[in-house]
Amino acid sequence: MFGEYSVNNNQAGSTGGGAEPDSGAVPGNLPPESASFVGREPELGLLDRLLSERRLITLTGVGGVGKSRLALRAAAAAGRARPDGVWWVELSPLRDPALLTTTVAHVVGLADHSARSLDEELCAWMADKELLLVLDTCEHLVAACRHLVGELLQSAPGLTVLITSREPLGSPCEEVVEVRPLPCAGPDSDALTLFRARALSATPRAAVAFEDAGRTAIAAELCRRLDGIPLALELAGARMRLWTLEQMAERIGERFDVLADTRAATLPSRHRTMRTAIGWSHELCEPLERLLWARLSVFTGDFDVAAARAVCAGGPMAASRVERVLAGLVAKSVVRRTEERGAGARYRMLDTIREYGHDWLGELGEVRIIADRHAHWYAALSQAAGQGWLGPGQVDWYRRMTTEHAQLRTALEHLLGSDPTAALEMAGALWFYWFACGHVHEGRAFLERALDSAPPTGAAYNQALWALGLTTLLQGDLDAARRIGEQCTEGAAHLADPERELRAAYLQAVSVLMPGDPVRALELAGPRARAGHGGRTSAPGWLLCKLATGYALCDLGRFEEATAEARSLRETCAELGERWLRAYADYVLALAALGLGDHGEAARHVRAMLSGKRLLGDRFGIALGLDLLAAAVAGLGDGELAARLLGTGHAWWRTVGRPQMGGSPSLTALRDQGERQARAAIGDAAYETAFRGGAAASTG
């Protein structure tokens, strides 16, 4: 019966999706392997032992040697021994070390809403966990990773960390494992096996290249010349689509001699081989492919065709040709194509290849112009998402913006340094992303930086200031939220903008409602909710005021009026095709039904609320809903289920860092009511057992 009410945030596009509690699967988010895995038996055996004996293991080696693939295979094998899962944190797109903790927290499922240090919250959250954390591609964040990993390992005795990096962290307890190239000796070497597999993947015609001993010897020599480096072998294998093995062997020798440039000549042998192999692939690309390669290097993480077309077209690269040229780079293994759940085709470059392309972008003198295009494309996307959030595309926008998280960060960072006004507009347009999608800490930091660099006037400033107020509200910084609400009200009056007045009223109302003043909250939000105050009744301000009014009426015991407000809000949201606010309208309806003594009706509404919150990954809303459902179920006499729901709710509250919104009187009373009734129904011992069972349910 409990499974009917269990809630899981494994949504498309979520970076922290885990397994259903009752599925038997290991929680976590390990990405699928992109291709067949070759060799590495000794390394896997070593890692299997180290992961059971040591707490910090770092895989080092040249770019392209296969550190990430090896870590992924080893982590998957080690997963069953980790009750709290295996969590993969990809750091290659991250450029700002200050966002490291936020990135890790989001992946493992901690959407912390408190104003406290996120490092401390993450340490506390992990303290009782037994999990494996994989930090992939750390070489550009070594100092930040060393600090965070040290704090986490000290706080969480059940934590093991696996690192991939071109250089060690330099931590005292670190076990460093150098990942070497694949063995090249012999007719059945791992390097030759990988080269053959990639050649056959490029074209079945490549099979003739391995039919006799003579040709196999040529292929083996080619692998030796490539030093057995997996990425170099993959790039070479892709060329078999066009060349024979003999042509490959002849041309690679010529090109390696030509491309051993002065920069590469100063590098260690394997680094030189890797850079030369990439340079060889670059030379063999068509001119437009080389141009696109360079321009694509502006993307951090993965991207879609529309973004590539918008950012990379120009000059000899017509927009209509971008997709075809991109397909050519995919065929040459320069770009990799992936399928994101619910997001369609996505593309990405490995860091080593992207770095080479970025060097060429500098040679072309296009670094600034392409970065500007990238930033303004994602700024425009943010504006479109903000305008479309309260509509039928809300779930799609949630998934899309979650998928584009790395690009949004990169764009904002660039605009903060190059175009502060555009940065302010973008940060403010993302209010829903910071407020409703679990990125409170990150949003507050970006908004504060943007506001500090802009003059304190105008609609964009007012919007960003309001968005900042929403983040302070969720963090429980209520004095700051109230002050910001007052500033927004003053600014909206100067702008003569009724919608902004409504938004400011919501901010002020909730800042006094949460600590227990529903009378003042109703004074602030109620008249505006009923009259619309000149604003559109489908705009965020009016809808949010309706929501605050419903909450305040429930706190005042005016349940029939609260029901009327919530029904009106829900109907409007249904007409708009909106889900996030509609779920909170269901929550108010459930609260009112509970207050009127109709526990069955309350349970029905809160189940609808939880369905909506799960769809949008709203951990805060899920935690709220589970407490309310527990109270309704307890009122129906099912004490065991109520206890399990309270346990699960407790686990979800831990993921947002603010149980019962920091001790809100009405929410604390609601939870206590459910607990009292559940204990009375089944006794203290049974209650504790059921509570612990619920608390052990996955929130991944």
Side-chain angles (χ1 to χ4, degrees):
M1 185 176 181
F2 174 67
E4 179 184 354
Y5 305 112
S6 64
V7 182
N8 178 276
N9 185 28
N10 188 12
Q11 298 302 320
S14 172
T15 56
E20 290 285 354
D22 301 325
S23 67
V26 177
N29 69 330
L30 287 180
E33 290 192 288
S34 57
S36 59
F37 190 87
V38 173
R40 301 295 195 192
E41 286 83 5
E43 292 95 330
L44 287 170
L46 173 63
L47 286 174
D48 183 60
R49 178 175 61 81
L50 290 176
L51 287 169
S52 65
E53 297 175 354
R54 302 297 180 92
R55 299 188 62 210
L56 174 59
I57 304 99
T58 299
L59 304 183
T60 64
V62 64
V65 80
K67 300 182 294 294
S68 297
R69 290 293 309 279
L70 179 59
L72 179 58
R73 177 58 64 99
R80 288 292 173 184
R82 315 286 166 168
D84 295 302
V86 181
W87 301 94
W88 183 276
V89 186
E90 183 181 353
L91 295 177
S92 60
L94 187 64
R95 291 294 171 263
D96 183 359
L99 293 174
L100 174 63
T101 304
T102 300
T103 302
V104 174
H106 185 67
V107 168
V108 300
L110 177 62
D112 182 67
H113 288 182
S114 73
R116 296 184 294 273
S117 162
L118 189 54
D119 281 31
E120 294 178 12
E121 289 299 313
L122 183 58
C123 286
W125 186 83
M126 281 197 177
D128 60 350
K129 300 288 192 298
E130 291 185 44
L131 59 81
L132 172 61
L133 182 67
V134 186
L135 302 182
D136 182 41
T137 313
C138 297
E139 55 267 7
H140 58 305
L141 301 166
V142 166
C145 287
R146 179 171 58 244
H147 172 76
L148 178 61
V149 168
E151 294 291 315
L152 291 175
L153 290 174
Q154 186 174 16
S155 303
L159 172 66
T160 302
V161 182
L162 178 61
I163 301 283
T164 74
S165 176
R166 295 181 197 175
E167 61 179 281
L169 296 189
S171 297
C173 61
E174 181 180 29
E175 180 76 24
V176 178
V177 176
E178 182 184 0
V179 180
R180 298 177 177 274
L182 293 171
C184 299
D188 297 315
S189 70
D190 289 341
L192 183 58
T193 299
L194 178 61
F195 175 64
R196 181 189 293 114
R198 297 301 180 261
L200 291 173
S201 176
T203 173
R205 296 193 304 274
V208 299
F210 306 97
E211 288 179 345
D212 58 62
R215 284 183 163 179
T216 299
I218 295 173
E221 173 58 22
L222 191 150
C223 292
R224 186 199 64 76
R225 187 68 191 263
L226 293 171
D227 274 349
I229 297 175
L231 179 55
L233 296 171
E234 291 188 20
L235 292 170
R239 300 305 304 177
M240 294 294 288
R241 183 189 302 267
L242 301 175
W243 291 349
T244 66
L245 188 60
E246 289 79 7
Q247 289 173 320
M248 175 84 71
E250 178 183 355
R251 296 185 186 188
I252 198 172
E254 295 171 354
R255 288 304 190 186
F256 263 46
D257 292 339
V258 170
L259 291 170
D261 59 28
T262 55
R263 281 179 297 177
T266 63
L267 297 171
S269 172
R270 290 171 189 161
H271 294 260
R272 187 165 62 248
T273 298
M274 189 65 256
R275 183 175 176 83
T276 305
I278 295 174
W280 175 59
S281 293
H282 187 262
E283 286 289 307
L284 297 175
C285 287
E286 299 293 330
L288 283 181
E289 290 175 336
R290 277 179 262 172
L291 178 61
L292 184 59
W293 180 343
R295 290 177 175 177
L296 288 174
S297 69
V298 74
F299 289 98
T300 48
D302 53 53
F303 55 90
D304 61 15
V305 170
R309 190 181 296 117
V311 173
C312 300
M317 180 72 67
S320 60
R321 303 186 68 180
V322 168
E323 190 167 1
R324 183 180 63 79
V325 178
L326 179 60
L329 291 176
V330 171
K332 294 175 175 65
S333 292
V334 173
V335 174
R336 298 190 174 185
R337 186 178 191 272
T338 63
E339 292 287 342
E340 292 286 335
R341 290 178 299 172
R346 307 278 297 179
Y347 300 85
R348 67 177 305 127
M349 284 183 179
L350 294 180
D351 271 5
T352 310
I353 291 176
R354 191 188 65 80
E355 290 162 5
Y356 193 96
H358 203 262
D359 286 346
W360 274 93
L361 192 66
E363 296 287 337
L364 294 171
E366 291 191 348
V367 171
R368 174 61 185 269
I369 189 173
I370 298 301
D372 283 347
R373 283 189 204 163
H374 174 277
H376 285 97
W377 165 258
Y378 285 102
L381 183 69
S382 300
Q383 292 286 352
Q387 293 168 9
W389 177 249
L390 294 179
Q394 187 178 75
V395 174
D396 291 336
W397 277 120
Y398 162 68
R399 293 172 176 168
R400 174 79 183 275
M401 302 310 275
T402 299
T403 300
E404 301 289 8
H405 192 171
Q407 307 298 348
L408 298 176
R409 283 175 165 175
T410 300
L412 270 171
E413 286 288 350
H414 178 74
L415 291 175
L416 282 167
S418 64
D419 190 344
T421 299
L424 187 73
E425 293 172 349
M426 181 178 177
L430 287 169
W431 68 270
F432 70 93
Y433 192 63
W434 316 130
F435 183 57
C437 300
H439 301 283
V440 179
H441 276 271
E442 182 175 340
R444 183 170 184 174
F446 272 126
L447 287 161
E448 287 176 340
R449 290 172 63 188
L451 287 162
D452 285 345
S453 63
T457 58
Y461 187 90
N462 188 273
Q463 171 64 20
L465 187 65
W466 178 69
L468 176 63
L470 294 178
T471 67
T472 63
L473 194 66
L474 279 185
Q475 289 185 318
D477 194 350
L478 301 181
D479 289 338
R482 186 175 62 258
R483 288 194 304 271
I484 291 171
E486 292 168 353
Q487 288 178 261
C488 288
T489 298
E490 183 179 345
H494 284 299
L495 293 167
D497 189 335
E499 166 61 17
R500 299 198 183 281
E501 290 186 35
L502 288 164
R503 297 186 188 196
Y506 166 79
L507 192 56
Q508 290 179 273
V510 179
S511 69
V512 297
L513 177 64
M514 287 171 65
D517 190 352
V519 173
R520 178 58 179 152
L522 192 59
E523 291 173 352
L524 287 162
R528 293 173 171 85
R530 294 188 176 91
H533 201 59
R536 291 183 296 110
T537 54
S538 61
W542 183 77
L543 298 174
L544 288 167
C545 281
K546 294 282 282 185
L547 179 63
T549 299
Y551 277 127
L553 288 168
C554 279
D555 277 6
L556 291 168
R558 294 160 61 177
F559 300 118
E560 291 87 353
E561 294 173 77
T563 298
E565 289 287 346
R567 282 179 177 162
S568 173
L569 173 59
R570 195 185 192 288
E571 288 169 5
T572 302
C573 291
E575 291 172 3
L576 293 171
E578 195 276 343
R579 299 297 299 267
W580 187 78
L581 273 169
R582 189 198 316 184
Y584 281 121
D586 282 320
Y587 180 82
V588 175
L589 287 170
L591 273 179
L594 192 69
L596 293 169
D598 192 340
H599 299 92
E601 183 74 356
R604 184 178 69 82
H605 283 302
V606 78
R607 290 189 194 106
M609 180 259 195
L610 286 169
S611 177
K613 290 306 172 189
R614 175 182 176 179
L615 195 63
L616 290 164
D618 184 352
R619 292 173 173 269
F620 201 82
I622 289 168
L624 281 171
L626 287 169
D627 277 0
L628 181 51
L629 183 57
V633 168
L636 290 169
D638 193 339
E640 181 179 357
L641 179 55
R644 288 179 66 84
L645 287 166
L646 286 169
T648 305
H650 173 74
W652 281 91
W653 278 117
R654 287 192 64 196
T655 72
V656 298
R658 295 188 61 229
Q660 285 73 48
M661 296 176 75
S664 167
S666 61
L667 294 178
T668 300
L670 178 70
R671 190 215 169 276
D672 291 347
Q673 173 189 332
E675 179 178 348
R676 284 194 305 272
Q677 290 181 309
R679 287 183 183 274
I682 61 174
D684 290 342
Y687 175 89
E688 295 296 340
T689 300
F691 182 92
R692 286 193 297 270
S698 171
T699 58

